[in-house]
Amino acid sequence: MIRLSILGSTGTIGKNALDVVRAHKDKIQLVGIGAYRASKELLEEVKEFRPKFVFSVETPTKDWLDEVSKYSKYLDEEEGLQAIIENSDRILNAISGTSGIKATYNILKAKKILLASNKESILCMPNLIRENLDLVIPVDSEHNAAFELLKSHKTVKNLYITASGGPFREYSKEQLKTVSKEEALKHPNWKMGPKITIDSATLMNKGFELIEASVLFNIPLERIKILIHPQSIVHAIVELENGSFIANMSLPDMRLPIQNAIFYPEMVNYTFNRLDLTYISCLSFEKPKRDLFRAIDVCEWVASMGNPYVSVLLGADDKAVELFLEGKIGFLDIPVLIENVLSSVNFHIEENLEDILRAVEFGKNKLLELSNHRM
């Protein structure tokens, strides 16, 4: 039995992970779950799966706590995270955004296996990740696909990761000026949370994944290529030294990479929808429009600079997406404000948790300040 815990169990990745747990109850013991809110949704998960531990960042009501206590031991965030780490074999960090940095740090410091869905923590702690690569199993569809390919093929010239292009792939700059929150949240292929969906629309998510791939696989940025692939069937491609290309393909369903990560290196039967190659009429690839979607260039520059720029970028993007979702800034304001925040960095940090979180907060606060000046 794999002793598994899920951080961010009420989010999209967390829910998909629970689908995998349901399908393999004979192989997985769910030790603990955690979420930001002490919500009805979290309570229903507790009732169904009855994990040993449950925690929330938000303080629960007495009635909620009384109900949860019938099934699981409730702990506050700090105690809950510690208990989960101590009692689990593998921990899926599916916490969204920069809020997941601390969990990754604590998991790896405890030398437990990290199922890495929170990309922000990988980006801002590259040394910790590289020192513990044997404990890190990527969950992102592109990185899990690349992980499989790179384990099997050693003479790799280039790695390609794909992006759907988001809902605005064919938009002009004039059209992008007026896009709404509702339009940006309509991802053409994937069902995701609001933060990553907006990051996918701006291509910031793909810029993050470029840096993530470099950290996880120790490949220079210039050998990692981004391809726009609207069908979201091919998730990663390796180009071998002999000139051949090998692709990893599946339906755009996060349950596959999650299951792969939970059971790695074992490969177990996949019981959800499978790809039928006879239904694919076209697989197309194109270069990203960097002049319209500046996030990729920003991420490449930030990666070349390292910290504190990486951590500041993560904080600034968190805040920019929040403000966009609140209707306080426009879609094209996101990269502009982030670049302005990065140009204001004038300090250095060490790669420790306190300094990293301080840089993240600087990014958030500076972006809010600059956005207020624009109003």
Side-chain angles (χ1 to χ4, degrees):
M1 293 285 283
I2 294 173
R3 297 186 303 164
L4 175 72
S5 288
I6 301 171
L7 310 180
S9 64
T10 58
T12 305
I13 297 297
K15 291 176 185 175
N16 280 310
L18 290 174
D19 279 349
V20 175
V21 174
R22 284 189 193 96
H24 298 282
K25 289 181 179 179
D26 58 326
K27 299 182 179 71
I28 301 171
Q29 175 191 355
L30 191 62
V31 174
I33 58 176
Y36 183 82
R37 291 183 175 84
S39 62
K40 181 180 179 181
E41 198 167 17
L42 183 59
L43 176 58
E44 292 304 314
E45 291 176 357
V46 171
K47 288 180 178 180
E48 178 182 356
F49 293 97
R50 306 195 178 192
K52 186 174 182 180
F53 306 107
V54 60
F55 76 84
S56 64
V57 177
E58 178 184 79
T59 302
T61 65
K62 183 180 183 302
D63 288 346
W64 189 94
L65 187 57
D66 288 344
E67 189 67 17
V68 161
S69 299
K70 296 176 184 177
Y71 309 97
S72 301
K73 183 176 182 179
Y74 177 83
L75 297 167
D76 64 25
E77 181 187 10
E78 292 292 328
E79 291 178 335
L81 182 58
Q82 182 179 348
I84 280 174
I85 291 173
E86 289 175 356
N87 290 275
S88 304
D89 300 320
R90 300 185 174 207
I91 303 157
L92 171 60
N93 184 2
I95 298 171
S96 176
T98 55
S99 299
I101 293 172
K102 186 177 180 180
T104 288
Y105 180 87
N106 289 334
I107 291 166
L108 292 181
K109 284 296 182 180
K111 300 299 180 182
K112 293 299 179 81
I113 294 176
L114 169 69
L115 309 185
S117 175
N118 178 270
K119 58 178 62 67
E120 285 83 354
S121 53
I122 294 174
L123 270 60
C124 67
M125 297 186 290
N127 293 331
L128 178 65
I129 299 299
R130 288 179 175 130
E131 289 166 5
N132 294 279
L133 277 179
D134 58 329
L135 298 173
V136 180
I137 305 173
V139 170
D140 271 353
S141 60
E142 298 83 2
H143 299 88
N144 190 266
F147 183 72
E148 288 190 350
L149 291 170
L150 293 167
K151 289 289 183 184
S152 304
H153 303 282
K154 303 301 180 185
T155 58
V156 172
K157 181 178 177 64
N158 292 306
L159 169 66
Y160 294 80
I161 58 175
T162 62
S164 70
F168 307 133
R169 180 174 63 90
E170 298 181 333
Y171 275 42
S172 66
K173 187 172 183 178
E174 285 303 310
Q175 289 174 303
L176 289 175
K177 287 179 181 178
T178 58
V179 297
S180 67
K181 171 183 75 173
E182 290 74 21
E183 290 173 299
L185 287 171
K186 290 180 181 177
H187 195 281
N189 300 327
W190 293 95
K191 294 179 180 179
M192 305 180 292
K195 168 66 167 61
I196 191 172
T197 302
I198 300 303
D199 280 343
S200 295
T202 64
L203 293 191
M204 184 65 76
N205 184 59
K206 203 52 53 178
F208 287 173
E209 290 180 355
L210 184 73
I211 307 173
E212 183 182 5
S214 182
V215 173
L216 289 172
F217 307 126
N218 199 27
I219 298 176
L221 284 175
E222 59 269 20
R223 288 175 50 207
I224 305 173
K225 316 294 183 182
I226 294 174
L227 290 174
I228 301 300
H229 170 53
Q231 297 80 24
S232 296
I233 297 295
V234 176
H235 305 293
I237 303 169
V238 288
E239 177 187 357
L240 304 183
E241 291 288 353
N242 68 2
S244 60
F245 290 73
I246 301 175
N248 182 297
M249 303 194 301
S250 66
L251 291 173
D253 187 332
M254 282 304 301
R255 291 175 294 190
L256 178 59
I258 290 168
Q259 178 172 299
N260 287 344
I262 289 172
F263 289 106
Y264 178 83
E266 182 185 358
M267 192 170 289
V268 303
N269 183 47
Y270 186 68
T271 59
F272 305 104
N273 294 336
R274 288 172 172 262
L275 176 63
D276 184 343
L277 293 175
T278 63
Y279 281 87
I280 300 175
S281 60
C282 173
L283 294 176
S284 61
F285 304 92
E286 58 196 60
K287 293 180 180 180
K289 298 176 181 177
R290 290 176 179 246
D291 56 329
L292 292 182
F293 300 95
R294 294 159 55 179
I296 296 174
D297 287 345
V298 170
C299 287
E300 287 180 342
W301 180 83
V302 163
S304 71
M305 298 297 291
N307 267 322
Y309 291 94
V310 175
S311 298
V312 171
L313 167 65
L314 297 174
D317 181 64
D318 257 13
K319 181 57 68 174
V321 171
E322 178 186 321
L323 294 175
F324 173 71
L325 290 172
E326 292 173 352
K328 295 179 180 177
I329 63 173
F331 184 79
L332 289 181
D333 292 330
I334 295 174
V336 173
L337 286 167
I338 288 172
E339 288 180 69
N340 289 338
V341 169
L342 292 169
S343 68
S344 70
V345 174
N346 60 358
F347 58 90
H348 300 278
I349 64 170
E350 300 296 326
E351 192 176 304
N352 58 61
L353 188 59
E354 182 180 353
D355 277 10
I356 287 167
L357 294 178
R358 179 170 59 86
V360 168
E361 284 305 308
F362 172 86
K364 291 181 180 181
N365 294 334
K366 191 66 177 179
L367 191 131
L368 179 60
E369 175 191 324
L370 293 175
S371 69
N372 287 335
H373 289 161
R374 292 169 67 94
M375 293 178 182

